[in-house]
PDB file of all heavy atoms in Angstrom:
ATOM      1  N   VAL A 263     -15.583  20.028  36.566  1.00 95.00           N
ATOM      2  CA  VAL A 263     -14.546  19.986  37.603  1.00 95.00           C
ATOM      3  C   VAL A 263     -14.386  21.361  38.251  1.00 95.00           C
ATOM      4  O   VAL A 263     -14.321  21.488  39.475  1.00 95.00           O
ATOM      5  CB  VAL A 263     -13.200  19.486  37.022  1.00 95.00           C
ATOM      6  CG1 VAL A 263     -12.067  19.737  37.995  1.00 95.00           C
ATOM      7  CG2 VAL A 263     -13.290  18.004  36.681  1.00 95.00           C
ATOM      8  N   PHE A 264     -14.346  22.415  37.432  1.00 95.00           N
ATOM      9  CA  PHE A 264     -14.208  23.763  37.985  1.00 95.00           C
ATOM     10  C   PHE A 264     -15.441  24.154  38.789  1.00 95.00           C
ATOM     11  O   PHE A 264     -15.327  24.807  39.829  1.00 95.00           O
ATOM     12  CB  PHE A 264     -13.947  24.789  36.877  1.00 95.00           C
ATOM     13  CG  PHE A 264     -12.501  24.882  36.495  1.00 95.00           C
ATOM     14  CD1 PHE A 264     -12.068  24.457  35.249  1.00 95.00           C
ATOM     15  CD2 PHE A 264     -11.561  25.374  37.375  1.00 95.00           C
ATOM     16  CE1 PHE A 264     -10.732  24.533  34.893  1.00 95.00           C
ATOM     17  CE2 PHE A 264     -10.221  25.466  37.042  1.00 95.00           C
ATOM     18  CZ  PHE A 264      -9.813  25.040  35.790  1.00 95.00           C
ATOM     19  N   LEU A 265     -16.618  23.752  38.346  1.00 96.00           N
ATOM     20  CA  LEU A 265     -17.844  24.057  39.082  1.00 96.00           C
ATOM     21  C   LEU A 265     -17.831  23.371  40.450  1.00 96.00           C
ATOM     22  O   LEU A 265     -18.139  23.993  41.467  1.00 96.00           O
ATOM     23  CB  LEU A 265     -19.069  23.608  38.276  1.00 96.00           C
ATOM     24  CG  LEU A 265     -20.423  23.864  38.932  1.00 96.00           C
ATOM     25  CD1 LEU A 265     -20.636  25.360  39.134  1.00 96.00           C
ATOM     26  CD2 LEU A 265     -21.528  23.266  38.099  1.00 96.00           C
ATOM     27  N   VAL A 266     -17.454  22.112  40.487  1.00 95.00           N
ATOM     28  CA  VAL A 266     -17.373  21.382  41.759  1.00 95.00           C
ATOM     29  C   VAL A 266     -16.326  22.021  42.664  1.00 95.00           C
ATOM     30  O   VAL A 266     -16.552  22.206  43.866  1.00 95.00           O
ATOM     31  CB  VAL A 266     -17.068  19.886  41.511  1.00 95.00           C
ATOM     32  CG1 VAL A 266     -16.704  19.188  42.805  1.00 95.00           C
ATOM     33  CG2 VAL A 266     -18.242  19.204  40.835  1.00 95.00           C
ATOM     34  N   LEU A 267     -15.186  22.375  42.107  1.00 96.00           N
ATOM     35  CA  LEU A 267     -14.132  23.029  42.886  1.00 96.00           C
ATOM     36  C   LEU A 267     -14.623  24.350  43.460  1.00 96.00           C
ATOM     37  O   LEU A 267     -14.396  24.656  44.634  1.00 96.00           O
ATOM     38  CB  LEU A 267     -12.899  23.251  42.003  1.00 96.00           C
ATOM     39  CG  LEU A 267     -11.689  23.880  42.671  1.00 96.00           C
ATOM     40  CD1 LEU A 267     -11.146  22.966  43.757  1.00 96.00           C
ATOM     41  CD2 LEU A 267     -10.602  24.148  41.644  1.00 96.00           C
ATOM     42  N   PHE A 268     -15.337  25.129  42.645  1.00 95.00           N
ATOM     43  CA  PHE A 268     -15.876  26.408  43.107  1.00 95.00           C
ATOM     44  C   PHE A 268     -16.869  26.189  44.246  1.00 95.00           C
ATOM     45  O   PHE A 268     -16.824  26.890  45.260  1.00 95.00           O
ATOM     46  CB  PHE A 268     -16.564  27.139  41.946  1.00 95.00           C
ATOM     47  CG  PHE A 268     -17.257  28.398  42.365  1.00 95.00           C
ATOM     48  CD1 PHE A 268     -16.529  29.547  42.612  1.00 95.00           C
ATOM     49  CD2 PHE A 268     -18.627  28.425  42.532  1.00 95.00           C
ATOM     50  CE1 PHE A 268     -17.167  30.715  43.010  1.00 95.00           C
ATOM     51  CE2 PHE A 268     -19.273  29.575  42.930  1.00 95.00           C
ATOM     52  CZ  PHE A 268     -18.539  30.719  43.174  1.00 95.00           C
ATOM     53  N   ILE A 269     -17.749  25.197  44.107  1.00 94.00           N
ATOM     54  CA  ILE A 269     -18.741  24.923  45.144  1.00 94.00           C
ATOM     55  C   ILE A 269     -18.059  24.503  46.445  1.00 94.00           C
ATOM     56  O   ILE A 269     -18.425  24.959  47.529  1.00 94.00           O
ATOM     57  CB  ILE A 269     -19.740  23.847  44.662  1.00 94.00           C
ATOM     58  CG1 ILE A 269     -20.632  24.432  43.565  1.00 94.00           C
ATOM     59  CG2 ILE A 269     -20.580  23.320  45.810  1.00 94.00           C
ATOM     60  CD1 ILE A 269     -21.491  23.408  42.871  1.00 94.00           C
ATOM     61  N   VAL A 270     -17.053  23.642  46.340  1.00 93.00           N
ATOM     62  CA  VAL A 270     -16.341  23.186  47.538  1.00 93.00           C
ATOM     63  C   VAL A 270     -15.629  24.359  48.221  1.00 93.00           C
ATOM     64  O   VAL A 270     -15.690  24.512  49.446  1.00 93.00           O
ATOM     65  CB  VAL A 270     -15.330  22.076  47.177  1.00 93.00           C
ATOM     66  CG1 VAL A 270     -14.376  21.809  48.318  1.00 93.00           C
ATOM     67  CG2 VAL A 270     -16.066  20.802  46.787  1.00 93.00           C
ATOM     68  N   LEU A 271     -14.961  25.193  47.445  1.00 93.00           N
ATOM     69  CA  LEU A 271     -14.256  26.343  48.025  1.00 93.00           C
ATOM     70  C   LEU A 271     -15.232  27.341  48.641  1.00 93.00           C
ATOM     71  O   LEU A 271     -14.976  27.900  49.705  1.00 93.00           O
ATOM     72  CB  LEU A 271     -13.396  27.024  46.960  1.00 93.00           C
ATOM     73  CG  LEU A 271     -12.170  26.234  46.503  1.00 93.00           C
ATOM     74  CD1 LEU A 271     -11.457  26.969  45.384  1.00 93.00           C
ATOM     75  CD2 LEU A 271     -11.229  25.969  47.649  1.00 93.00           C
ATOM     76  N   TYR A 272     -16.368  27.561  47.972  1.00 92.00           N
ATOM     77  CA  TYR A 272     -17.369  28.486  48.498  1.00 92.00           C
ATOM     78  C   TYR A 272     -17.938  27.960  49.821  1.00 92.00           C
ATOM     79  O   TYR A 272     -18.092  28.711  50.776  1.00 92.00           O
ATOM     80  CB  TYR A 272     -18.491  28.687  47.478  1.00 92.00           C
ATOM     81  CG  TYR A 272     -19.544  29.651  47.935  1.00 92.00           C
ATOM     82  CD1 TYR A 272     -19.320  31.027  47.859  1.00 92.00           C
ATOM     83  CD2 TYR A 272     -20.751  29.209  48.469  1.00 92.00           C
ATOM     84  CE1 TYR A 272     -20.268  31.928  48.291  1.00 92.00           C
ATOM     85  CE2 TYR A 272     -21.703  30.099  48.904  1.00 92.00           C
ATOM     86  CZ  TYR A 272     -21.463  31.466  48.809  1.00 92.00           C
ATOM     87  OH  TYR A 272     -22.403  32.343  49.252  1.00 92.00           O
ATOM     88  N   ALA A 273     -18.237  26.662  49.854  1.00 91.00           N
ATOM     89  CA  ALA A 273     -18.765  26.062  51.077  1.00 91.00           C
ATOM     90  C   ALA A 273     -17.742  26.144  52.203  1.00 91.00           C
ATOM     91  O   ALA A 273     -18.088  26.435  53.353  1.00 91.00           O
ATOM     92  CB  ALA A 273     -19.166  24.612  50.820  1.00 91.00           C
ATOM     93  N   SER A 274     -16.476  25.920  51.875  1.00 91.00           N
ATOM     94  CA  SER A 274     -15.420  26.000  52.872  1.00 91.00           C
ATOM     95  C   SER A 274     -15.290  27.428  53.411  1.00 91.00           C
ATOM     96  O   SER A 274     -15.173  27.638  54.613  1.00 91.00           O
ATOM     97  CB  SER A 274     -14.100  25.544  52.259  1.00 91.00           C
ATOM     98  OG  SER A 274     -13.051  25.728  53.163  1.00 91.00           O
ATOM     99  N   ALA A 275     -15.315  28.399  52.513  1.00 91.00           N
ATOM    100  CA  ALA A 275     -15.210  29.800  52.937  1.00 91.00           C
ATOM    101  C   ALA A 275     -16.409  30.198  53.794  1.00 91.00           C
ATOM    102  O   ALA A 275     -16.260  30.893  54.801  1.00 91.00           O
ATOM    103  CB  ALA A 275     -15.100  30.705  51.716  1.00 91.00           C
ATOM    104  N   SER A 276     -17.584  29.739  53.403  1.00 89.00           N
ATOM    105  CA  SER A 276     -18.789  30.043  54.165  1.00 89.00           C
ATOM    106  C   SER A 276     -18.715  29.428  55.552  1.00 89.00           C
ATOM    107  O   SER A 276     -19.069  30.051  56.557  1.00 89.00           O
ATOM    108  CB  SER A 276     -20.015  29.523  53.414  1.00 89.00           C
ATOM    109  OG  SER A 276     -21.174  29.725  54.177  1.00 89.00           O
ATOM    110  N   SER A 277     -18.234  28.203  55.621  1.00 89.00           N
ATOM    111  CA  SER A 277     -18.090  27.520  56.905  1.00 89.00           C
ATOM    112  C   SER A 277     -17.078  28.239  57.787  1.00 89.00           C
ATOM    113  O   SER A 277     -17.298  28.418  58.987  1.00 89.00           O
ATOM    114  CB  SER A 277     -17.661  26.070  56.669  1.00 89.00           C
ATOM    115  OG  SER A 277     -17.378  25.433  57.882  1.00 89.00           O
ATOM    116  N   ASN A 278     -15.966  28.662  57.188  1.00 89.00           N
ATOM    117  CA  ASN A 278     -14.941  29.388  57.950  1.00 89.00           C
ATOM    118  C   ASN A 278     -15.483  30.703  58.466  1.00 89.00           C
ATOM    119  O   ASN A 278     -15.210  31.097  59.603  1.00 89.00           O
ATOM    120  CB  ASN A 278     -13.701  29.627  57.087  1.00 89.00           C
ATOM    121  CG  ASN A 278     -12.889  28.369  56.892  1.00 89.00           C
ATOM    122  OD1 ASN A 278     -13.042  27.410  57.635  1.00 89.00           O
ATOM    123  ND2 ASN A 278     -12.028  28.365  55.891  1.00 89.00           N
ATOM    124  N   ALA A 279     -16.253  31.402  57.629  1.00 90.00           N
ATOM    125  CA  ALA A 279     -16.824  32.685  58.053  1.00 90.00           C
ATOM    126  C   ALA A 279     -17.778  32.478  59.217  1.00 90.00           C
ATOM    127  O   ALA A 279     -17.780  33.252  60.181  1.00 90.00           O
ATOM    128  CB  ALA A 279     -17.539  33.350  56.884  1.00 90.00           C
ATOM    129  N   SER A 280     -18.562  31.422  59.156  1.00 89.00           N
ATOM    130  CA  SER A 280     -19.501  31.126  60.237  1.00 89.00           C
ATOM    131  C   SER A 280     -18.750  30.807  61.529  1.00 89.00           C
ATOM    132  O   SER A 280     -19.114  31.286  62.600  1.00 89.00           O
ATOM    133  CB  SER A 280     -20.387  29.949  59.829  1.00 89.00           C
ATOM    134  OG  SER A 280     -21.228  29.574  60.879  1.00 89.00           O
ATOM    135  N   ALA A 281     -17.709  29.995  61.411  1.00 89.00           N
ATOM    136  CA  ALA A 281     -16.909  29.646  62.591  1.00 89.00           C
ATOM    137  C   ALA A 281     -16.230  30.886  63.166  1.00 89.00           C
ATOM    138  O   ALA A 281     -16.163  31.054  64.396  1.00 89.00           O
ATOM    139  CB  ALA A 281     -15.869  28.589  62.233  1.00 89.00           C
TER     140      ALA A 281
END
Side-chain angles (χ1 to χ4, degrees):
V263 167
F264 276 112
L265 180 62
V266 168
L267 182 64
F268 174 77
I269 290 171
V270 167
L271 290 176
Y272 181 79
S274 175
S276 176
S277 174
N278 286 342
S280 176

